[in-house]
Every structure is written in structure tokens, then in C-alpha cells.
Amino acid sequence: MLARTLKVLEYGKVKEQLEKHASSSLGKEKVQQLLPTTNFEEAVEWQEMTDEAATVLRLKGNVPLGGIYDVRPYAKRAKIGSVLSPHELLSITSTLYASRQIKKFIEDLLEEELDIPFLQAYSERLFLLIELERKINFCIGDNGEVLDGASEKLKSLRNQLKTLESRAREKLENIIRSTSMQKMLSDAIITIRNERFVIPVKQEYRASFGGMVHDQSASGATLFIEPQSVVDINNSLNETRLKERQEVERILAELSNQVAEEADSILENVVVLTEIDFMFAKGSYSQKIKASKPNLNNKGYIKLLKARHPLIPKDEVVPNDVELGRDFTSIVITGPNTGGKTVTLKLVGLFTLMAQSGLQLPVLDGSEMGVFDAVYADIGDEQSIEQSLSTFSSHMVNIVDILKKVDGNSLVLFDELGAGTDPQEGAALAISILDEVYRRGARVIATTHYPELKAYGYNRKGVINASVEFDVETLSPTYKLLIGVPGRSNAFEISKRLGLNHDVIENAKLHISAESNQVENMIASLEDNRRKAEKDLEEAEITRKDAEELHKELQRQIIEFNEKREKMFEKAEQKAAASIEKAKQEAEEIIRDLRKMQKQQYATIKDHELIEARKRLEGATPQLATNKQASVAKAATKQKLHPGDEVKVLSLDQKGHLIEQVGSGEWQVQIGIMKMKVKEKNLEYISRPKPVETKPLATIRGTDSHVKLELDLRGERYEDALLRVEKYIDDALLAGYPRVSIIHGKGTGALRKGVQEYVKNHRSIKKVRYGEASEGGTGVTIIELK
């Protein structure tokens, strides 16, 4: 991609936003190096990587990417034998810990069976250098100091230092506490000069002290003297300090050697962590701008749904739909200045660069982007005083360069094509340039003021007009792109709104040719028809959603009714079975009594009579639910099926209704929202609905709005809510609904209590109850109407 194109399309500003989402300096460096790829397979892979990162962020919220440092210089220096400082070693161990954390994080995701092929591949490349990490942490403290426990010798030397320092201070404190000595001291303190303990002595008492002078004050009135009594101790201190430094150097050298042994693994970890940080920076940026993954193609096809420019504030940006490259390959955008033509131009160009950089786009799902070999842009007024170039000349220099390179896999953006010269010649040049670029097969978007190019869009195959909408009432652009509608100048309307004399405006219209007037009137008609079509579409969408909700609610109620009916049948069968079982037991007892009486010769009852009585009792016992399908299927064979019958599909164990017979022994069955063909032998007859009088859908105050099956009162004032409940119940009664729901929420309970009291006393309400847990609980009141 040309550097000039990246600049005019403000690609660098997008990278600045992206850089803020990187967790480490390595990730930021990777962002700074980012450039769009022209390789289709690579662009697709980058998009999949970003989508994988965005998915993980959506599911987990964050990723453990803290503590990553650029330790490449340290690892390379260790390889050539340099001794690393404690802080450099800390950076290495922090990066090793980050590697371990991110590897564990990825392994946990894999255990959850998430599809993360890119992260899995990165995880397999990470080295766990736990021993080196542990060794550095054991020797180096959080503040970069070598710890006493790093070695036994270091611990011993530091204990010696503490002992010697204590002895030196004790001797000097005895001196400064001495009454005879206090008058000789400038201050009763112990200080350090040249790493030796000294005391401040007045100049005139120098001769009274033995020892060495190490320093004096700026005025010369105070000398910092090391008394002879602590000279030996200070000498021992210096020797011990030297040994300590040597031991620290030895420990750091040993750690550096261990780093050198693992330098290649550390460098590989840095590469992998950089890629992971960069990958999640793109995923995080996608979340920030509410972006989605575009479908990429190598056919030059662009389809953006509700595209929002990422550099315009969210509360100001106007979403637009843009399509290019299928039915038409060139778009000519006309309209007034400051209307958003250039923004649209930059939007398409910038989205192309972002998509080919692996960045998701702030568009709706289902959007598509072509992958181009080059994006050329001639945007902005680049008048050059130094080169003595006018606006027209500077544009021509860029256009000439573009025409030398453009081919069938290029995207070309022209802003104010042909501007800066004679309008007639400029329009002719613009048409010729567009024809040339179109002939080469490139995708083109051009903005212009020339009215001749409006006709160009109608007269050329593969070219379409577009404009940015202008609200004459507010005298301001709406920034909405209108594909297929050329722009109007709106000069007369704007002048009229601003108060220009009516006669002046009418006189001006006389100077406009009839053809121009016809074109303007045609454009005005197109705009009116478009607005009407959009309004009709919006109303149709609302009606469709209401119908879907009504359909779902009816389906839910039907399923619920069938389930309750089945439970009632089952309960009745169980009750009947229990009664019969009880009767059988009583009969057995009677028979036993009769046998007993027979043996005692109190009765002359024969055995065959007893057996016959028992058979009659057993015959009275019903066959209950042991083979329900078989019994119903048997009944179904005796029942001739008709369209509308309720049946059960045995293979699916689902209920449905017959629509029509589609062949010999085969029916079309409606199961919920699904229709399917089923063999008659696979059907059980259940019932045949009785013809009922249909009621028309209720209307509200003469409008065509259908009554919904629920009323939402949340957020309403108490009095207003009860008025709405009263009217809603009347509407539901007119609609013939058997049951409706009133959503009042739980809250403080005042609204809920008021609704309950009102509906319980309503003359047309048969039953009132709170919703089940699945229906909203006590936040919903369910009422059954008479």
C-alpha cells in the first residue's frame, strides 16, 4: 500500500487507537509495524486470529498478559558472557512467569473444549523454564536487591557487616556522649564519609583528636574525623564490603550463565508472547468499537451493513450501508459540501485497510470486504506553493500516477474529481477518467459537484449514482448515504428558508434549463419514494415482530395445555387403578372367607363358582398405560383421519395436527412451526377439534395494532398503571384471549399489590395467580378471562 494512501485515509490514527490495547511494549511495537496484507489467505487467517481473541475476551473478560518485558537484549548479552544486573534478571523472571500464566490459561480453555487453534499452536511453542524462574526469584528481591539467602557466604558476610557496623557505632556513640567531648563537636551525630564512619569536629579542636580527616564543611569550620579507635573497625568493614560485592557479582554471573543456557528458549517465548499480546490487542479493540468479523473475498465485492467510522465519536457517527462490486463497480456520489461525501469515501478505503490488517470492522454481522492488491486515493486539497501547483494540478499529478498503476484488483477513491478548473472541461475529464478506470476493472468511488456526472451514472452500465441526504427543514446534512439517488443542489430551497425574496428565486428558476428542472424533479421524487418505502418497511417489521411474538405465545400455551391434559389423564388413570386394586383386595378377602365357610360346612359353595367369580373380577380391571402407544394405535386404525385432526407421531413422540393427505397412506403434519410428511401407520389419532366461531383480531381505538398477550407496567406510576390495566383487560376480552399476563415487577410491592387487588375484583376475570418460576415468578400476574 502507498504511504500516501495510508496517510490520507488516517490509517495511522487507527493504529494509535489499537496501540492503547496492547499490554506490553512488545505488543505496541508490533502494532507500530502493522501494515495491510495483499495476500488473501493471510488476510483471512489474520481475521480468524482476531475473531478467536475476541471470542476468548467475550467469554473470559480478560487475559493474563501482565509482566511481559522486552528481554531480548538481556538474553543476547547473556549469550556473549555479560553479567546481567538484578533488575534485568527480574525482567526475565517476570516474562517467564507471564509465559507460564498464559500457557496455563490456554490449557484451561482447551479443557473447556473451546475451538482455539491459533492459541493452542502458540501455547505449544512456549517453554516453561520453572527452575530458572525459581532460582532468580530465590536470589533477587522484588526491589532488585540480591537477597541474603542467595548463598551461605553472602549471608555470613552480611552478618559480619552488621556486627562491625554495630561495633563502630557503639564506639563513636561513647565519644559523642562524653561530656568532655561534646563541646568539641559541631553536632552529636555519626555520619559516613568515603564509606567510613566519622564524627563532625570543630576546626579548633582538631589536635585533640587522633585519627584521619576525611572531609570538611563548606565553611571549613567542621572537620569529619575518623577517630583512631574505629580505624581498624572501618578497615574491616571495607574489606568485608569488598568481599560482599565480589560474592554478589559471583551470584549474578552464575544466574547470567543460567540465562545464557536458556537464551534461545527465552527469545522464542518473547516472540510468542508478542504475537499473543498483538492478537488480543486486536480483539480488545474490536470490543471497544463494537466490531464484527467481515467475510473476506477476492472478487472485489464490498458490502457494509450499518458501517460506522471508527474515528468519529459514537454519539455523532451516522451508520451507513455501502455496496460495491457486484451489480455495479463504480459509485458516483453527488451532493452539497459538508454533507459527508468525503467521510464515506474515507470510510470504504479505511475499512479495506483495516480488514486486510486483520482488524474487525464496526459493522453488523454479514458484512463483506474484498481483498485488493492496492488502494489508491486522491483526497484533499494539496495545493503546493513551493512547486507552483494549483489544486487542479496537484490532483492531476496524483491521478496520472494512479492511472499508471491501477488494474482489475484495485480500489480507487477520487474526491472532487475534476475540480479546480473550468466546470465543463472538468466534468468531461472526470467522465473520461472514470471510463478509463472502469475499463480496467477496478472498483471506484468518486465524489463530485458536476451535474453532468449525475447523467453519467444513469447512462453507464456498472455505474450507480449516490448522494448524502440533506434536510432542507434544518438546513443541515443528515450524513446518510443514499445509493441509487443522485444529490440535489437544494440551492433554491435553502435560499427560500433563509428569507431570499420569492421573486428573485422564481426569476432564477427561469435561467435553469428544462432538462435540469426535470432531473431535479426526478431526484426529488426518488427521495420521497425512498422515505415512504423506508417508513413502510419499518411499520411492516414492527407488525412482523408482533405476529412472531403472538405466534410463540400461542405455541407455548398449546404445549402447556397439552402437558396439563396429559398429567390429568395420568392422574385419573392412577386413581382408577388404585380404586380397582382396592376392590380386588376386598374381593380376595371375601373369597377367602367363603372358602373358610365351605371348609367349615357352613356353606355349600362349589370351586368352579369361586373361579368364575374371580375371573369376572379380573376382567373388570382396566389395562392401564402399559402399552399406551399400542392401544391408541389400535384405536387409530378404527378412526378415519381427516385434515385438522390432532395426532401423535410415534417415531418422534410429538403431537401435531394433520394438514392434508399427500399420497396413499401419507399425511403432511404440522408439529409446532415445522411441517413434515409422515406415514399413516406412524400416526396415532388423538382428537378432532370441534368447529368454533372465529373472532377477529382486536384493534385498539380503531388502529391496526394487535393486542399483545402481555402488558409491561415496569416503570409506570401507580395511577397510570391501573388505568392501563383496565383498558388492557377490555382489549383482551374483545380479542377473545383466554389468558394474559401483566408484568409489574417485584420492586417495593406497591404496584404488584394494586394490580392484584384490581384484577381480583374485576367481573370478567375468572382466575388470578402469580407466574411460575419460568414465567417470571411474583413479578408477573397471570389472569384467566371469562
Side-chain angles (χ1 to χ4, degrees), residues 568-584 620-624:
M568 289 176 67
F569 282 155
E570 186 177 349
K571 189 175 180 181
E573 287 178 347
Q574 290 174 354
K575 188 175 180 180
S579 299
I580 293 173
E581 183 62 30
K582 185 178 178 182
K584 285 176 66 178
T621 305
Q623 300 297 319
L624 298 175

Side-chain angles (χ1 to χ4, degrees), residues 184 201-213 223 225:
M184 303 178 188
V201 179
K202 294 176 182 178
Q203 172 70 33
E204 58 268 27
Y205 295 107
R206 165 69 183 90
S208 301
F209 280 86
M212 300 172 60
V213 177
L223 301 176
I225 295 177

Side-chain angles (χ1 to χ4, degrees), residues 311-556:
L311 302 179
I312 298 177
K314 294 178 182 177
D315 56 344
E316 297 178 13
V317 68
V318 176
N320 273 309
D321 295 341
V322 182
E323 187 171 1
L324 176 68
R326 181 164 291 174
D327 298 330
F328 46 86
T329 59
S330 300
I331 299 177
V332 179
I333 306 176
T334 53
N337 284 330
T338 70
K341 300 193 304 295
T342 303
V343 171
T344 302
L345 207 66
K346 288 185 174 182
L347 172 77
V348 176
L350 181 60
F351 274 22
T352 302
L353 301 180
M354 289 174 65
Q356 293 180 214
S357 300
L359 297 176
Q360 295 188 342
L361 308 179
V363 293
L364 295 184
D365 290 338
S367 297
E368 295 189 46
M369 282 300 302
V371 176
F372 297 94
D373 289 340
V375 177
Y376 301 106
D378 178 53
I379 299 174
D381 184 358
E382 299 190 5
Q383 184 174 355
S384 173
I385 297 175
E386 292 180 0
Q387 300 178 19
S388 300
L389 293 176
S390 65
T391 299
F392 176 77
S393 299
S394 64
H395 278 294
M396 274 298 109
V397 169
N398 294 329
I399 291 170
V400 168
D401 186 52
I402 289 171
L403 291 178
K404 289 179 181 177
K405 302 172 182 176
V406 70
D407 58 21
N409 201 25
S410 301
L411 174 64
V412 185
L413 307 171
F414 290 125
D415 188 29
E416 298 298 346
L417 184 60
T421 186
D422 177 78
Q424 190 171 359
E425 293 182 354
L429 270 174
I431 291 171
S432 180
I433 292 168
L434 287 173
D435 278 342
E436 176 62 19
V437 178
Y438 174 79
R439 185 183 62 78
R440 298 193 191 183
R443 305 300 186 261
V444 188
I445 303 179
T447 68
T448 181
H449 278 302
Y450 295 135
E452 289 85 353
L453 267 74
K454 297 176 185 177
Y456 174 83
Y458 284 109
N459 297 332
R460 296 294 196 281
K461 183 181 178 182
V463 182
I464 194 167
N465 281 314
S467 61
V468 283
E469 190 178 52
F470 189 88
D471 191 339
V472 180
E473 295 298 322
T474 61
L475 301 182
S476 61
T478 65
Y479 303 106
K480 191 170 184 180
L481 183 68
L482 309 176
I483 298 288
V485 180
R488 288 194 291 163
S489 66
N490 297 302
F492 294 146
E493 288 83 355
I494 294 172
S495 300
K496 183 178 179 181
R497 293 279 299 171
L498 293 175
L500 187 62
N501 188 286
H502 177 74
D503 294 336
V504 175
I505 295 173
E506 291 301 317
N507 187 41
K509 289 181 178 180
L510 297 176
H511 297 283
I512 301 295
S513 65
E515 292 81 2
S516 297
N517 275 325
Q518 288 177 357
V519 170
E520 291 296 316
N521 291 335
M522 177 191 67
I523 295 172
S525 175
L526 284 171
E527 290 183 354
D528 291 340
N529 290 336
R530 179 194 58 78
R531 289 193 187 97
K532 186 176 182 302
E534 287 182 351
K535 184 179 179 182
D536 291 344
L537 178 62
E538 186 177 349
E539 291 176 353
E541 185 66 16
I542 293 171
T543 303
R544 183 187 65 80
K545 289 181 178 178
D546 287 345
E548 283 184 356
E549 289 179 8
L550 181 62
H551 179 70
K552 289 178 182 177
E553 177 62 20
L554 288 173
Q555 272 195 322
R556 188 182 68 78

Side-chain angles (χ1 to χ4, degrees), residues 29-294:
E29 181 183 334
K30 183 78 174 178
V31 171
Q32 292 165 3
Q33 297 170 354
L34 177 63
L35 287 173
T37 180
T38 57
N39 183 283
F40 176 71
E41 287 75 17
E42 189 173 37
V44 171
E45 183 178 284
W46 287 3
Q47 283 291 340
E48 290 174 350
M49 290 174 70
T50 304
D51 193 53
E52 183 176 307
T55 301
V56 172
L57 286 171
R58 187 178 67 253
L59 296 174
K60 296 299 178 181
N62 56 65
V63 180
L65 285 170
I68 300 174
Y69 294 93
D70 185 3
V71 296
R72 291 173 296 183
Y74 312 152
K76 291 175 182 177
R77 281 176 44 224
K79 284 183 73 173
I80 61 174
S82 296
V83 177
L84 303 181
S85 70
H87 286 287
E88 291 171 339
L89 290 167
L90 276 182
S91 296
I92 289 175
T93 189
S94 177
T95 304
L96 292 178
Y97 175 75
S99 303
R100 186 157 52 90
Q101 288 293 100
I102 194 66
K103 188 176 181 72
K104 182 179 183 304
F105 177 79
I106 295 171
E107 289 172 352
D108 290 344
L109 293 177
L110 291 171
E111 287 181 3
E112 296 177 18
E113 297 185 355
L114 286 181
D115 185 23
I116 46 171
F118 297 104
L119 288 176
Q120 183 177 1
Y122 283 142
S123 175
E124 292 169 355
R125 290 171 56 188
L126 285 173
F127 292 92
L128 295 183
L129 306 177
I130 298 175
E131 184 60 29
L132 176 59
E133 181 188 340
R134 186 196 64 78
K135 182 67 174 175
I136 294 174
N137 287 332
F138 180 76
C139 296
I140 311 295
D142 293 339
N143 296 320
E145 75 281 8
V146 178
L147 299 174
D148 295 353
S151 72
E152 287 297 325
K153 184 177 180 180
L154 182 61
K155 185 175 182 180
S156 175
L157 288 171
R158 286 184 174 171
N159 286 335
Q160 291 178 36
L161 284 174
K162 291 176 183 177
T163 302
L164 290 171
E165 287 177 359
S166 178
R167 286 174 55 196
R169 286 183 177 277
E170 184 180 351
K171 284 185 177 293
L172 292 175
E173 283 175 359
N174 289 336
I175 294 174
I176 63 178
R177 288 199 192 109
S178 172
T179 307
S180 60
M181 293 292 184
Q182 286 182 357
K183 65 178 182 178
M184 303 178 188
L185 301 175
S186 299
D187 200 355
I189 61 171
I190 301 170
T191 186
I192 296 174
R193 291 293 186 275
N194 300 326
E195 295 188 348
R196 301 179 79 89
F197 287 103
V198 295
I199 54 177
V201 179
K202 294 176 182 178
Q203 172 70 33
E204 58 268 27
Y205 295 107
R206 165 69 183 90
S208 301
F209 280 86
M212 300 172 60
V213 177
H214 286 279
D215 199 2
Q216 67 179 9
S217 65
S219 64
T222 300
L223 301 176
F224 294 94
I225 295 177
E226 179 187 5
Q228 188 63 43
S229 59
V230 296
V231 168
D232 291 339
I233 298 174
N234 276 335
N235 287 340
S236 298
L237 270 172
N238 284 343
E239 290 175 8
T240 306
R241 285 194 188 104
L242 179 60
K243 291 178 182 178
E244 182 215 18
R245 283 195 291 270
Q246 290 173 345
E247 179 63 12
V248 167
E249 285 294 321
R250 186 194 68 76
I251 292 169
L252 293 177
E254 182 180 328
L255 293 174
S256 299
N257 288 335
Q258 293 181 22
V259 170
E261 292 173 3
E262 303 289 356
D264 292 336
S265 299
I266 293 170
L267 291 171
E268 175 65 9
N269 278 7
V270 170
V271 171
V272 174
L273 290 174
T274 301
E275 293 296 335
I276 293 175
D277 188 15
F278 177 57
M279 176 175 167
F280 279 105
K282 293 191 287 185
S284 178
Y285 181 59
S286 296
Q287 286 189 324
K288 175 73 174 177
I289 61 175
K290 292 182 171 58
S292 65
K293 175 188 171 186

